[in-house]
Amino acid sequence: MAKKKKKGVSVLSLVLVLVMIVGAALAFTGLFLDWTTSKTNVVIGSVESNATLQDWAEMHDSAVKLDGEVKYFVVTNMFAWIAAAAVAVAAVLFILKLVIRLKLLSTLGGIAGIVGLLCAVLAIVFTILMGNEYAVGNETIGNSVAPAIGCYLLTVGGVLGGAAAIGGAVKS
């Protein structure tokens, strides 16, 4: 007997696409929230401040004008944006795959998921390196820089969306 092809969309496919959409939303939200938090110990106590990726970009531009740079900022920024874009592309490709039913779209979505997952992990790694480099440069005043909510959201969104895209590609 010949197998009949199923018509319609499976529940697993819908769940995977939903997780990819949520991952993309988390990743893009993270890009615009506080990326790092810093604590500076001064004589009268400690001062905490937060910086977004845009704040880091402005610090980097100011440093470049003075013949310097914020180490690891360029790669941090690059990996952050690539991670968010890759997870969004994976979600779009899987939605198209559900409509068009072309296996190539699933494969391309899986590749985008791998890129999103890896770039999200690399973004947080380079954020930590950037923060450590920035803190070392100011260690006389006791400065420490750590990832903040935006960095964590991007990482969670990239890992969730990327893993769902990989799962969708393997399932297909």
Side-chain angles (χ1 to χ4, degrees):
M1 263 206 246
K3 281 187 172 180
K4 288 185 179 180
K5 281 192 173 183
K6 286 198 272 185
K7 294 195 178 195
V9 179
S10 71
V11 174
L12 179 62
S13 295
L14 289 176
V15 168
L16 290 173
V17 169
L18 181 65
V19 171
M20 285 181 241
I21 291 170
V22 168
L26 288 173
F28 274 106
T29 302
L31 289 173
F32 301 102
L33 295 178
D34 292 335
W35 193 257
T36 57
T37 183
S38 61
K39 185 176 182 182
T40 306
N41 295 322
V42 290
V43 177
I44 54 175
S46 65
V47 177
E48 289 191 30
S49 63
N50 295 325
T52 63
L53 272 177
Q54 182 62 38
D55 296 335
W56 279 101
E58 290 168 4
M59 283 190 279
H60 180 72
D61 289 343
S62 298
V64 168
K65 289 177 185 174
L66 299 172
D67 293 329
E69 68 175 354
V70 175
K71 277 191 171 181
Y72 303 113
F73 168 73
V74 174
V75 290
T76 300
N77 195 33
M78 178 185 67
F79 283 131
W81 281 95
I82 290 173
V87 173
V89 166
V92 168
L93 288 172
F94 274 96
I95 291 169
L96 286 174
K97 183 233 176 220
L98 294 176
V99 174
I100 299 174
R101 301 200 186 282
L102 185 62
K103 183 151 175 77
L104 176 65
L105 294 174
S106 177
T107 304
L108 292 174
I111 292 169
I114 291 169
V115 169
L117 190 143
L118 290 176
C119 286
V121 171
L122 288 171
I124 196 166
V125 167
F126 281 107
T127 298
I128 291 168
L129 290 173
M130 178 179 67
N132 288 343
E133 189 69 33
Y134 185 76
V136 168
N138 295 321
E139 67 186 14
T140 56
I141 57 174
N143 193 13
S144 65
V145 179
I149 187 71
C151 186
Y152 293 128
L153 281 177
L154 176 103
T155 303
V156 168
V159 169
L160 276 178
I166 294 166
V170 170
K171 175 213 157 269
S172 294

